[in-house]
Amino acid sequence: MIPVLAKLSALYKWYVLAILTLGYLTAELGHFLIGVTSKATAIDISYGDITCQLNKTEPHFNLTLNDLCTSAQNETSCAALALDDGERFCEWNRNGLGIDYQILAGPSFIAVYTVVGVFLGIAADKYRRIPMVGLCVLVCGVSIILMGGTQQFWHLVVLRMLFAAGEAGLNPMSTGVLSDIFSEELRGLVMSIFNWGIYGGIGLSFPVGRYITELNAWLLGWRVAYYGSGIIALIIGFLTFTTLKEPQRIVIGEEHEEGTGTGQEAAKTKDSAWKVMLQPRFVMLCIAASIRHTGGLCFAYNCDLFYRDTFPHIDLGGWLFFVTFIIGGVGVVFGGIVSDKIVAKMGIKSRVAVLAISQLISTPFAFGSIYMGPVGAMITLAISYLFAEMWFGILFAILVEIVPLSVRSTTVGVFLFVMNNVGGNLPILLEPVRKATSFQDALAIFYAGAYLVSSVLFGITMLLMGKTKPTPPKTNGHPMEGIENGGFTTIERLANPTAHNIESHHL
């Protein structure tokens, strides 16, 4: 019976990974669902641009009629378009785009997400993380359900802000918990699996937002998608509260290599947060990540609307789900595995090299996903996603390795604050560029162009990393049973300076 219990105990850390990943996935589903339901939501509660569009009276899509509708510049000319029998085939209605949508998708969310994230990082330095993660998931679930009941635009904005407050703590706190319970050899892989929750959430938003809305169950339309997503989040939050336990923490990365592993030594560097954040490698990594995040959010917020607008006669919802959910997931996990293998031989610097190379490879395919036809766009998008999405898990593995334990809470919080403010607010510039040029050109600049720029910046960051040592092997004298994202607390270590080698068992 004891061997069975031992095996079950060994599976616990993977159960923690599964629960925290599902919590992150449901939060990201709620985050990006607005991008898929925006047209239906805008028509229902009145926000955004109004244009002339082909209505539903035609049983089959007609490209000629669609072009006639989109060429109408006002309601009068739109209403004048009719078939020979007098039947109107256009409608003057909201399309889900416009500055209202961009504010709803980006700044209203980011304004709260980034600020609350910093405070939650500080709170996690003093209190247990698992209960706070559970509470964050529950806040996300409640706010998603309430979004489904909104009747006015400002209701939706306020609830997006509440939702952002809940999601703000999931990534940093979950990253801390996971880095405590998994060995360093699995660091990149585990971080990548967890961050696959982003792509899982984005991917699920397409079928959930498109097809559940079209079902119009109980005559509720898009609202059912929010109700269902919120209920699932509540279940995951409950499981987080009741089935996970708080781990202890350990120093990792460069700090461990340099031997500054005790709580007393860490405390001596407590006042060096600004010194860490002003290091050229940290600043450049933050800039590069901000630009890359801009490209990712621009595509995530606008891809469904873009492909609906560009290929209105083809339903690409299934393909978008496959590319983001499956290909994106494969890419992020593949990136973690590759970086883990390389870092064992070449050190932390090699992770940044993987970031630079992967983004460079993805760039030409990102341009193809914008300018090619429907088949070519989906093929090149899949290839681009495979390489582009290697970045997120690797990025967090780098952060927890280069930031000292005593100041990790502050530095990681500031890093996320800057990255999300830049990456979350720059996409609002896409709207005026879209109106001045075209949807394609605007995405080429803010999506594919951001990939290219970030690859160059990651390359510069690699040069600034300096000489780093390969990950040292385990020895009997210094077991490394887990790693520490200690930016999320130092209280236990200061209370027990000799506990840094104890095996421990998640926005």
Side-chain angles (χ1 to χ4, degrees):
M1 193 66 183
I2 294 179
V4 174
L5 293 176
K7 290 181 180 179
L8 292 177
S9 177
L11 292 175
Y12 170 75
K13 61 184 180 181
W14 296 102
Y15 171 76
V16 175
L17 175 60
I19 292 297
L20 296 181
T21 302
L22 287 174
Y24 199 26
L25 185 151
T26 55
E28 288 296 289
L29 170 60
H31 180 185
F32 292 104
L33 197 56
I34 188 64
V36 185
T37 66
S38 184
K39 182 175 180 178
T41 307
I43 292 173
D44 196 1
I45 63 177
S46 302
Y47 68 82
D49 289 353
I50 302 176
T51 61
C52 189
Q53 309 163 59
L54 191 69
N55 62 25
K56 300 293 185 179
T57 58
E58 285 295 301
H60 302 289
F61 180 84
N62 187 303
L63 186 59
T64 301
L65 297 183
N66 180 73
D67 291 342
L68 288 173
C69 292
T70 56
S71 63
Q73 299 299 311
N74 53 60
E75 185 173 7
T76 301
S77 59
C78 182
L81 295 172
L83 299 173
D84 292 339
D85 60 3
E87 183 179 17
R88 294 173 55 185
F89 55 88
C90 298
E91 63 178 359
W92 184 254
N93 213 334
R94 301 181 186 275
N95 63 359
L97 289 167
I99 196 67
D100 286 348
Y101 166 68
Q102 297 298 339
I103 292 175
L104 179 64
S108 66
F109 177 90
I110 293 299
V112 175
Y113 181 84
T114 54
V115 174
V116 173
V118 174
F119 285 103
L120 286 178
I122 296 173
D125 199 33
K126 300 179 180 180
Y127 308 105
R128 298 169 62 216
R129 294 163 294 178
I130 289 296
M132 287 192 287
V133 172
L135 179 61
C136 286
V137 178
L138 291 178
V139 169
C140 288
V142 171
S143 56
I144 294 172
I145 292 174
L146 293 177
M147 284 183 206
T150 53
Q151 300 297 327
Q152 297 185 42
F153 178 69
W154 72 268
H155 293 166
L156 200 55
V157 172
V158 170
L159 289 170
R160 282 279 290 179
M161 296 172 74
L162 176 63
F163 174 84
E167 189 177 359
L170 294 184
N171 190 298
M173 288 189 286
S174 295
T175 299
V177 171
L178 292 172
S179 58
D180 288 333
I181 65 177
F182 282 94
S183 64
E184 59 183 327
E185 291 85 355
L186 295 172
R187 185 179 307 156
L189 175 61
V190 169
M191 296 300 180
S192 296
I193 292 174
F194 169 73
N195 283 289
W196 168 81
I198 299 174
Y199 312 104
I202 295 174
L204 284 174
S205 70
F206 296 113
V208 172
R210 279 185 179 226
Y211 306 132
I212 291 182
T213 298
E214 292 174 1
L215 285 176
N216 196 26
W218 305 288
L219 301 179
L220 292 174
W222 60 274
R223 300 178 186 275
V224 176
Y226 287 81
Y227 294 147
S229 301
I231 290 173
I232 294 174
L234 293 181
I235 295 173
I236 300 299
F238 175 77
L239 290 175
T240 303
F241 262 120
T242 58
T243 63
L244 304 189
K245 60 182 180 180
E246 184 74 12
Q248 293 176 325
R249 308 151 195 218
I250 312 168
V251 283
I252 62 169
E254 293 180 342
E255 189 176 14
H256 167 60
E257 293 171 9
E258 295 167 4
T260 58
T262 69
Q264 292 175 336
E265 290 167 328
K268 293 179 182 178
T269 63
K270 192 76 175 180
D271 59 347
S272 63
W274 284 109
K275 181 178 179 180
V276 173
M277 290 186 288
L278 292 177
Q279 290 178 354
R281 64 177 184 175
F282 185 90
V283 173
M284 187 56 66
L285 183 66
C286 190
I287 295 173
S290 298
I291 299 301
R292 174 57 182 82
H293 202 39
T294 297
L297 287 180
C298 274
F299 183 77
Y301 287 148
N302 294 282
C303 65
D304 188 75
L305 294 167
F306 170 72
Y307 288 120
R308 285 177 187 260
D309 182 74
T310 307
F311 310 118
H313 56 299
I314 299 177
D315 182 0
L316 295 176
W319 281 103
L320 290 173
F321 166 75
F322 174 78
V323 169
T324 53
F325 191 91
I326 304 298
I327 302 299
V330 171
V332 72
V333 173
F334 178 68
I337 295 174
V338 170
S339 72
D340 280 341
K341 296 296 183 182
I342 295 177
V343 78
K345 298 180 179 180
M346 300 175 59
I348 299 171
K349 187 175 182 178
S350 62
R351 292 198 197 273
V352 191
V354 175
L355 283 180
I357 295 170
S358 64
Q359 301 314 297
L360 183 61
I361 294 174
S362 70
T363 296
F365 298 103
F367 280 105
S369 69
I370 300 170
Y371 289 106
M372 298 186 72
V375 176
M378 291 299 101
I379 292 175
T380 53
L381 178 62
I383 299 173
S384 176
Y385 243 72
L386 179 62
F387 291 97
E389 305 314 324
M390 293 171 64
W391 84 290
F392 213 64
I394 301 175
L395 175 68
F396 279 92
I398 294 170
L399 277 177
V400 300
E401 289 173 331
I402 68 172
V403 177
L405 170 66
S406 61
V407 296
R408 196 164 291 145
S409 178
T410 303
T411 51
V412 172
V414 171
F415 186 96
L416 292 172
F417 179 86
V418 174
M419 185 184 80
N420 285 296
N421 265 291
V422 175
N425 289 311
L426 276 184
I428 198 173
L429 298 178
L430 182 142
E431 189 60 26
V433 174
R434 179 184 72 86
K435 291 182 176 179
T437 56
S438 67
F439 213 159
Q440 288 179 318
D441 293 341
L443 278 179
I445 295 171
F446 290 97
Y447 154 49
Y451 282 13
L452 178 60
V453 173
S454 71
S455 69
V456 175
L457 296 177
F458 282 129
I460 297 174
T461 304
M462 180 187 67
L463 299 177
L464 296 174
M465 290 295 290
K467 295 182 179 180
T468 56
K469 303 176 183 178
T471 302
K474 295 181 182 179
T475 65
N476 293 332
H478 191 88
M480 191 69 174
E481 300 298 337
I483 60 172
E484 157 70 346
N485 193 336
F488 309 108
T489 193
T490 60
I491 299 302
E492 297 95 327
R493 291 187 43 73
L494 292 176
N496 185 8
T498 63
H500 65 283
N501 286 331
I502 297 176
E503 181 175 2
S504 60
H505 168 6
H506 97 99
L507 255 250

